[in-house]
């Protein structure tokens, strides 16, 4: 039988174009520009030249420069030929200077990632910086610094201000695009920065008044504002609430993951200033009130004040103190308040924790778009949450193996899992599932990077270390106290936990312990900090 060999060059242009679109622009240009005239014509299309990311990355928090060989080819052979076609560049600091030495007459935006804070600030304050050549041309800019634990807020705030001094026609600014690092700004007094051109702003701030400063009219053309607030507590006792309308704002997103006690006095009045708002996202993880936020609250206090609103996404967890109240609302009661939300699927979950004297009500629109989902209890309604990478579990009742199966299926891309539960499991032995002819499922967590069990009963440490129950990925960081770990692993000699432990990077917070000789050999790595 004869076999035919089809070369890439034998395929029609349309098929080659489809194949190239499956690859990154970086790979397409590096591999095919200059090969022949036909490929040159295809790869010069704006699909491959409009926007370029000129670094390698495993994930958004693992970025590294191009190899010397690849960088040479781009700077000497590729970029000079297509520089006039490039509108956006994503760069990292080690190769940035060389890449920007090429002429880009039509460049209107770029992003800088994985750069030290001080080095980033120097880009905008050093008169010899390459940034000056783009002073009037850059309309869109994104920056992500490193120094995650650095508390030098002043550097971030100063950098934020100088960006507007540098790029005088800026329309779009994303100050921390991956939302991964500690890159928050804060103002001790009204800032000096103004812009009549800015249309979109994405930023993280320290306090609620920082958010209010940014909405006091200094960005009077702003149409999209997405803000993450570190603390909703005002830093000063008297907070002046601006009542001036924000007629140009069309899209607003507010996230606050810490305690929020000013939902009624700050957030609601702020939203009432946005009369032309079309898209709203509210992500509030801990609202303290004397009653739960429900559908009636959202309609009467928010939706009825925003006549142009056509998209409302939210995840709001409100908490109340239990003080012998009667007629506490059930989950069914809360769900009933959303009966008029016809264009949205709304999920509610109500829990009363008697030991903590606290009631919690979590309401959210589905599909769920946040990166984290906290305080999941046994009555978790399930669903698929592909955006979530951080999960925490909490209950005053025990978690069983079936519960963890539901968690794994609901959060397939979970990277961080924390468990807070001091109650022992009741059904630890292997058993058969109904209608399924097999033993206890072994749960795999293929994307898990960090497992936090500092506040978990020994049974949950065992749940995740027994190879008959859990398959941990290689290199996962484990946070757990030494003594429960010692008990579960039978003084680090238990065969049934050795397989998972051999994949684990154990983080031990107690530096005064004396470990047995075989202790470190039981784990992939041990970090005593």
């Amino acid at each position: 039988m004869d076999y035919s060999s089809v070369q890439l060059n034998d395929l029609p242009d349309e098929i080659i174009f489809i194949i190239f679109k499956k690859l990154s622009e970086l790979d397409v240009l590096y591999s095919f520009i200059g090969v022949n005239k036909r490929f040159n014509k295809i790869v010069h299309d704006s699909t491959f030249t409009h926007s370029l990311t000129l670094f390698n990355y495993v994930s958004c928090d693992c970025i590294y420069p191009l190899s010397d060989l690849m960088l040479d080819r781009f700077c000497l052979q590729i970029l000079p030929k297509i520089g006039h076609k490039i509108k956006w560049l994503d760069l990292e600091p080690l190769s940035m200077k060389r890449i920007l030495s090429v002429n880009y007459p039509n460049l209107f935006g770029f992003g800088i990632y994985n750069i030290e804070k001080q080095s980033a600030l120097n880009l905008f304050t050093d008169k010899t910086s390459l940034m000056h050549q783009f002073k009037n041309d850059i309309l869109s800019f994104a920056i992500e610094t490193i120094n995650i634990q650095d508390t030098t807020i002043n550097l971030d705030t100063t950098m934020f201000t100088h960006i507007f001094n540098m790029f005088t026609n800026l329309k779009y600014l994303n100050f921390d695009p991956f939302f991964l690092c500690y890159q928050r700004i804060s103002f001790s007094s009204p800032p000096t920065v103004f812009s009549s051109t800015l249309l979109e702003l994405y930023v993280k701030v320290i306090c609620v008044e920082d958010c209010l400063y940014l909405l006091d009219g200094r960005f009077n053309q702003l149409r999209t504002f997405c803000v993450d607030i570190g603390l909703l507590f005002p830093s000063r006792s008297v907070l002046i609430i601006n009542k001036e309308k924000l007629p140009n704002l069309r899209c607003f997103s507010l996230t606050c993951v810490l305690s929020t006690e000013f939902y009624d006095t700050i957030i609601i009045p702020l939203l009432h200033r946005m009369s032309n708002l079309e898209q709203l996202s509210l992500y509030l993880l801990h609202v303290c009130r004397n009653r739960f936020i429900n559908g009636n609250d959202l309609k009467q206090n928010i939706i009825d004040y925003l006549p142009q609103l056509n998209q409302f996404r939210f995840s709001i967890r409100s908490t109340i103190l239990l003080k012998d109240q009667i007629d506490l609302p059930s989950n069914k009661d809360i769900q009933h308040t959303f009966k008029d939300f016809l264009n949205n699927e709304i999920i509610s979950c109500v829990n009363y924790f008697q030991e903590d004297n606290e009631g919690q009500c979590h309401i959210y629109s589905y599909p769920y778009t946040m990166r984290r989902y906290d305080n999941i209890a046994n009555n978790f309604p399930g669903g698929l949450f592909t955006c979530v990478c951080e999960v925490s579990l909490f209950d005053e009742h025990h978690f069983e193996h079936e519960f963890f199966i539901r968690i794994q299926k609901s959060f397939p891309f979970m990277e961080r899992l924390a468990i807070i539960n001091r109650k022992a499991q009741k059904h630890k032995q292997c058993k058969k599932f109904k209608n399924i002819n097999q033993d206890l499922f072994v749960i795999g967590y293929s994307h898990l990077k960090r497992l936090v069990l500092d506040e978990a009963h020994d049974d949950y440490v065992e749940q995740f270390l027994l190879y008959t129950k859990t398959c941990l990925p290689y290199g996962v960081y484990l946070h757990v106290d030494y003594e429960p770990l010692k008990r579960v692993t039978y003084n680090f000699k238990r065969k049934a936990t050795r397989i998972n432990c051999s994949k684990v990077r154990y983080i031990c917070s107690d530096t005064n312990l004396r470990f047995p000789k075989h202790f470190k050999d039981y784990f992939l790595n041990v970090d005593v900090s």
Side-chain angles (χ1 to χ4, degrees), residues 202-259:
Y202 302 80
V203 67
K204 293 196 297 190
V205 300
I206 294 294
C207 300
V208 65
E209 57 259 59
D210 300 319
C211 171
L212 298 179
Y213 279 142
L214 296 175
L215 290 174
D216 65 1
R218 65 190 60 252
F219 301 123
N220 57 13
Q221 298 301 311
L222 199 62
R223 294 177 62 87
T224 297
F225 183 45
C226 297
V227 60
D228 181 297
I229 302 176
L231 298 170
L232 212 58
F233 291 104
S235 62
R236 54 188 76 176
S237 56
V238 178
L239 186 62
I240 300 175
I241 306 296
N242 193 332
K243 296 183 180 181
E244 185 178 346
K245 296 293 184 180
L246 300 164
N248 293 317
L249 202 62
R250 298 293 188 272
C251 177
F252 178 62
S253 174
L254 187 151
T255 300
C256 185
V257 300
L258 298 179
S259 180

Side-chain angles (χ1 to χ4, degrees), residues 314-327:
F314 59 88
S315 175
I316 302 173
R317 184 184 303 278
S318 49
T319 63
I320 61 173
L321 290 178
L322 300 181
K323 298 179 179 179
D324 300 319
Q325 299 99 320
I326 58 175
D327 296 329

Side-chain angles (χ1 to χ4, degrees), residues 1-5:
M1 181 177 178
D2 293 330
Y3 291 89
S4 60
S5 176

Side-chain angles (χ1 to χ4, degrees), residues 84-134:
H84 62 289
K85 291 178 172 285
I86 297 176
K87 305 295 180 62
W88 180 283
L89 285 171
D90 284 323
L91 308 172
E92 57 80 40
L94 297 181
S95 58
M96 180 173 62
K97 183 176 181 180
R98 190 173 176 194
I99 291 170
L100 290 181
S101 64
V102 177
N103 185 34
Y104 304 99
N106 297 308
L107 188 72
F108 68 76
F110 59 84
I112 302 174
Y113 303 88
N114 212 42
I115 185 170
E116 295 275 351
K117 290 183 185 293
Q118 185 61 58
S119 298
L121 180 59
N122 292 342
L123 291 176
F124 309 108
T125 57
D126 188 344
K127 293 183 179 181
T128 64
S129 168
L130 286 171
M131 294 296 105
H132 286 275
Q133 65 181 302
F134 303 106

Side-chain angles (χ1 to χ4, degrees), residues 274-513:
M274 307 174 185
S275 56
N276 293 321
L277 205 63
E278 297 173 1
Q279 299 179 20
L280 172 63
S281 299
L282 280 182
Y283 303 121
L284 307 171
L285 268 66
H286 194 68
V287 179
C288 300
R289 294 177 98 220
N290 57 7
R291 55 188 173 83
F292 291 145
I293 296 173
N294 58 32
N296 294 333
D297 286 300
L298 297 183
K299 185 177 186 308
Q300 295 167 9
N301 295 321
I302 298 177
I303 295 175
D304 288 350
Y305 285 85
L306 305 175
Q308 307 300 319
L309 192 67
N310 57 54
Q311 183 183 94
F312 184 19
R313 295 174 177 166
F314 59 88
S315 175
I316 302 173
R317 184 184 303 278
S318 49
T319 63
I320 61 173
L321 290 178
L322 300 181
K323 298 179 179 179
D324 300 319
Q325 299 99 320
I326 58 175
D327 296 329
L328 288 168
S330 66
N331 191 61
K332 185 177 180 180
D333 295 330
I334 297 296
Q335 196 68 47
H336 184 70
T337 65
F338 290 99
K339 63 182 185 300
D340 295 327
F341 284 60
L342 302 178
N343 297 324
N344 298 84
E345 182 178 357
I346 310 299
I347 309 297
S348 64
C349 192
V350 175
N351 285 287
Y352 294 102
F353 300 112
Q354 301 299 328
E355 295 176 12
D356 286 352
N357 291 319
E358 183 177 87
Q360 292 188 6
C361 174
H362 186 196
I363 56 175
Y364 57 89
S365 55
Y366 187 84
Y368 189 89
T369 55
M370 284 193 72
R371 296 184 72 251
R372 58 188 291 172
Y373 194 132
D374 288 317
N375 285 22
I376 298 175
N378 276 290
N379 63 345
F380 171 62
L384 184 62
F385 302 82
T386 56
C387 294
V388 174
C389 57
E390 295 186 28
V391 173
S392 68
L393 313 177
F394 170 77
D395 206 336
E396 292 178 349
H397 302 282
H398 54 88
F399 295 136
E400 297 298 337
H401 188 79
E402 294 88 341
F403 173 75
F404 292 106
I405 293 175
R406 287 198 290 132
I407 295 299
Q408 187 274 335
K409 289 182 177 179
S410 292
F411 304 99
F413 302 110
M414 177 172 58
E415 296 180 2
R416 185 184 189 276
L417 175 61
I419 299 174
I420 304 172
N421 194 320
R422 297 295 188 182
K423 297 296 189 295
Q425 290 180 316
K426 289 189 176 180
H427 307 291
K428 295 173 59 177
Q429 301 302 316
C430 287
K431 63 179 182 178
K432 302 273 187 178
F433 282 101
K434 295 179 180 179
N435 303 320
I436 301 178
N437 187 27
Q438 66 182 78
D439 287 332
L440 195 67
F441 284 169
V442 175
I443 308 174
Y445 300 88
S446 57
H447 294 272
L448 193 65
K449 296 180 180 178
R450 195 169 297 272
L451 178 62
V452 183
L453 303 174
D454 291 333
E455 299 180 74
H457 188 275
D458 287 12
D459 286 353
Y460 306 110
V461 180
E462 186 177 68
Q463 169 76 36
F464 280 87
L465 294 185
L466 279 179
Y467 80 94
T468 55
K469 291 186 176 183
T470 299
C471 179
L472 290 178
Y474 185 86
V476 64
Y477 287 90
L478 173 65
H479 298 256
V480 64
D481 290 341
Y482 176 79
E483 289 301 325
L485 186 63
K486 180 180 178 181
R487 290 192 296 268
V488 167
T489 60
Y490 302 165
N491 198 22
F492 313 105
K493 295 178 181 179
R494 189 178 182 182
K495 291 183 179 179
T497 55
R498 189 179 187 92
I499 292 176
N500 276 325
C501 285
S502 67
K503 306 175 189 177
V504 160
R505 301 180 186 276
Y506 174 49
I507 308 297
C508 182
S509 57
D510 193 338
T511 59
N512 297 319
L513 291 172

